[in-house]
Amino acid sequence: MKAAILAYHSQNVAGDETKNNDHVALAADLEVLHAAGCQFVSLNALVNTLFGELSASESPLVCLTFDDGCDYDVRSLDFPGHGKQAGLLQIMESFVERHGSAAQPGLHATSFVIASSEARRLIDSKSLFGSGHMSDDWWSKADAHPLMSIGNHGWDHNHPDLEEEHYTRGGFDMISGFTHCHHQVVQAAEFIENKTGRKPTFFAYPFGESSEYIRNEYFPLHHDEHHCLAAIGTDPGLVTAQSDRWNLPRFVCGRDWSTPAELLAALGI
Ligand SMILES: [Zn+2]
């Protein structure tokens, strides 16, 4: 069985081609993967197929994820300098309208959001346009949408835009030890649950980085505290039953492929 998790960033807009615009890339990739016989599945279905009760599929399975939770994930908005961009969710909805809901009944994306409002405000003002496009007023609706779930991308991404706090900013591999992990994973999950009514069950490591402690001890040994089913990194590669459940590989749009043909090649299709 072939299976892959793909990552898109809705704030990656630097032109109007698949190589420099993740919205254009997603629209093209959906069509090409569908035509190539891939089956879109949710992260939940994928993890249950790999490690659980669902049976393996003949078709290559593809799972969509969006990182950082910018409003461009779910809203069609003007992107300064590049005009209006269809939201990633709207691109998925257009695909369903074109092909019918039976064509890809498992089509689904997990949007990994940053919990802390203050962290989102600082990242929005320093790394985006300060237009308030990292809001959380859409999380509840998105989590209830049949095409989307909200996942956990940490309390504050330990983003370099933030003030120094408990540890050096920038990078996520220094998040090590129970206290730091609890802060980044559980405090974030509780905040997200407060907004959506549901505890997120998947964690995506900020920057794709993880310490040995979080991978080998915190996640595997403290399920009662974090309730996660899997954690996702960004090491490129297909996922298999032998993959590390607490650092699942993922292909990143723009880094690992810049055209649909390159994506098919990466998936070995
Ligand atoms: Zn991120």
Side-chain angles (χ1 to χ4, degrees):
M1 184 185 75
K2 251 181 196 146
I5 307 172
L6 309 182
Y8 295 85
H9 295 81
S10 65
Q11 71 273 35
N12 282 359
V13 174
D16 57 6
E17 298 172 75
T18 58
K19 66 177 183 197
N20 53 26
N21 182 319
D22 281 20
H23 299 249
V24 176
L26 176 66
D29 296 341
L30 284 173
E31 294 298 336
V32 169
L33 293 171
H34 176 61
C38 294
Q39 190 185 335
F40 293 104
V41 291
S42 66
L43 205 41
N44 199 49
L46 182 70
V47 165
N48 277 322
T49 307
L50 288 176
F51 305 115
E53 69 273 18
L54 294 184
S55 50
S57 150
E58 292 285 304
S59 337
L61 302 181
V62 177
C63 185
L64 304 175
T65 63
F66 307 149
D67 272 16
D68 303 324
C70 295
D71 295 2
Y72 301 101
D73 280 14
V74 296
R75 291 185 178 134
S76 299
L77 294 165
D78 182 63
F79 196 98
H82 299 285
K84 192 171 179 180
Q85 307 294 319
L88 301 182
L89 178 60
Q90 285 66 39
I91 290 168
M92 294 167 71
E93 287 173 336
S94 303
F95 176 91
V96 174
E97 266 167 41
R98 247 189 329 279
H99 296 276
S101 53
Q104 287 288 351
L107 182 66
H108 184 271
T110 302
S111 173
F112 285 103
V113 303
I114 299 164
S116 158
S117 322
E118 178 60 7
R120 281 183 278 112
R121 190 187 66 74
L122 282 168
I123 297 167
D124 177 58
S125 68
K126 293 188 185 175
S127 291
L128 281 171
F129 311 101
S131 350
H133 286 342
M134 290 191 78
S135 64
D136 53 31
D137 58 357
W138 52 269
W139 293 1
S140 174
K141 222 171 142 187
D143 199 54
H145 195 290
L147 296 179
M148 198 171 247
S149 291
I150 298 294
N152 186 350
H153 200 34
W155 174 250
D156 59 16
H157 209 288
N158 201 31
H159 200 279
D161 287 349
L162 307 179
E163 302 295 324
E164 205 87 349
E165 202 184 63
H166 310 294
Y167 23 75
T168 310
R169 292 304 195 176
F172 201 74
D173 48 353
M174 73 271 290
I175 305 303
S176 189
F178 187 87
T179 310
H180 291 173
C181 292
H182 179 86
H183 178 233
Q184 289 290 344
V185 178
V186 173
Q187 189 177 314
E190 285 168 355
F191 186 92
I192 294 167
E193 182 181 18
N194 198 28
K195 298 280 176 193
T196 64
R198 191 187 65 88
K199 207 181 274 297
T201 46
F202 293 100
F203 188 85
Y205 295 117
F207 311 103
E209 296 175 354
S210 52
S211 61
E212 264 186 34
Y213 174 81
I214 200 169
R215 279 196 311 270
N216 298 337
E217 291 189 45
Y218 181 74
F219 274 123
L221 302 179
H222 296 283
H223 184 262
D224 284 352
E225 103 124 16
H226 60 68
H227 302 286
C228 287
L229 297 175
I232 295 100
T234 56
D235 292 344
L238 297 170
V239 284
T240 70
Q242 284 72 48
S243 297
D244 180 353
R245 187 181 190 128
W246 303 112
N247 190 27
L248 290 176
R250 191 158 60 139
F251 292 109
V252 179
C253 182
R255 184 196 71 182
D256 298 318
W257 80 95
S258 47
T259 62
E262 286 178 12
L263 175 57
L264 290 180
L267 303 187
I269 296 169

